Amino acid sequence: MTSDGKTPHRIAVVTGGNRGIGFEICRQLAKQGGIHVVLAARDKAKGATAAKTLRGEGLEIESHSLDVASEASIRKFAGWLAGEHQRCDILVNNAGVMLDRHGSRVLDLKVETWRETFETNLIGPLFLVQALAPIMKKNGYGRIVNLSSGLGQLSDMGAGTPAYRVSKTALNALTRTLAAELAGSGILVNSMCPGWVKTDMGGAGAPRTVEQGADTAAWLATLPDSGPTGGFFRDRKPIPW
């Protein structure tokens, strides 16, 4: 409770929130009420424009710059969040890149592509949970949602886009490890696959809408205390690793 006797809003951070699935996750979380969403975006101006659009829908949104591939940017963001809001209840690691499209293969993919992919898709989420999970632990509550992909499933692994695939497999491993470490802390950690969604990354030919792609992330971000942790989900149902 706050000093005036009111229940404080949950504070939700959504990375890569200025477009696509991240933008829709921000919308769906804010629509639930009682959640103040921090839309985090690498481009400050684009983040501000996206937040303004959602505020125009009557939603409680603010934006803040964050480059998940920069440890300095993450530390600066975490310091701002702790000072401005004194809490972090929800972290949705949505920001991600797919740099190795068009039939790329392991044997000829440049190491720079591997490095850049992992910096954004794995190391960024890792640094963020290191920075924000301690804030969650102080309040004994947290929900961490990692946006993964079916392309990272070992149970159905194939050729093509190897850096993206391996980065998402590694993100799933991070989910499992972190969930085990945080067991009993009140913090639930899960991965999800949005499916093939109509976004800049997914393309116009994708069969799923952003609303469908964002739904499971918003669900995992607001699980009850009895909810699952250390799982991998699509359409609110567990899927194989």
Side-chain angles (χ1 to χ4, degrees):
M1 303 290 285
T2 59
S3 59
D4 59 5
K6 295 182 180 179
T7 302
H9 275 26
R10 299 289 191 199
I11 301 298
V13 174
V14 181
T15 67
N18 60 292
R19 63 179 185 173
I21 296 172
F23 182 80
E24 181 60 25
I25 292 171
C26 289
R27 173 185 278 133
Q28 291 187 18
L29 288 177
K31 278 186 173 181
Q32 297 189 35
I35 299 176
H36 179 87
V37 177
V38 178
L39 185 160
R42 181 173 58 182
D43 187 304
K44 183 177 180 179
K46 290 180 180 179
T49 298
K52 182 178 180 180
T53 298
L54 292 173
R55 286 196 299 272
E57 299 176 12
L59 302 177
E60 190 169 334
I61 307 274
E62 69 175 311
S63 65
H64 201 279
S65 59
L66 172 63
D67 180 358
V68 300
S70 165
E71 184 177 3
S73 178
I74 289 171
R75 295 194 185 283
K76 183 177 180 180
F77 176 84
W80 168 82
L81 188 70
E84 183 72 16
H85 293 289
Q86 296 83 50
R87 64 187 300 126
C88 178
D89 303 286
I90 297 166
L91 169 62
V92 181
N93 284 311
N94 164 77
V97 295
M98 180 188 283
L99 304 176
D100 52 336
R101 302 189 191 192
H102 310 304
S104 54
R105 294 293 186 267
V106 171
L107 296 181
D108 56 20
L109 190 63
K110 293 181 178 179
V111 70
E112 290 81 5
T113 302
W114 288 92
R115 286 199 181 103
E116 189 173 347
T117 299
F118 269 71
E119 285 290 341
T120 299
N121 293 359
L122 176 67
I123 305 302
L126 169 61
F127 283 160
L128 274 166
V129 297
Q130 287 181 334
L132 300 183
I135 304 175
M136 294 179 176
K137 291 177 74 173
K138 287 181 180 179
N139 294 313
Y141 178 94
R143 303 291 182 263
I144 298 173
V145 183
N146 294 323
L147 263 78
S148 184
S149 170
L151 292 177
Q153 287 178 280
L154 288 171
S155 58
D156 191 33
M157 187 61 68
T161 57
Y164 181 80
R165 285 181 182 273
V166 176
S167 72
K168 293 301 185 181
T169 304
L171 183 64
N172 286 346
L174 176 63
T175 295
R176 293 283 289 175
T177 305
L178 184 62
E181 287 189 8
L182 293 174
S185 68
I187 303 173
L188 306 180
V189 188
N190 291 286
S191 285
M192 62 82 64
C193 169
W196 186 14
V197 178
K198 289 184 178 70
T199 62
D200 291 345
M201 182 184 291
R208 293 168 65 88
T209 65
V210 289
E211 291 81 7
Q212 290 172 314
D215 175 74
T216 298
W219 170 67
L220 290 171
T222 53
L223 286 173
D225 292 341
S226 59
T229 190
F232 192 14
F233 297 87
R234 182 191 295 124
D235 295 330
R236 302 194 182 192
K237 297 177 182 178
I239 59 175
W241 295 102

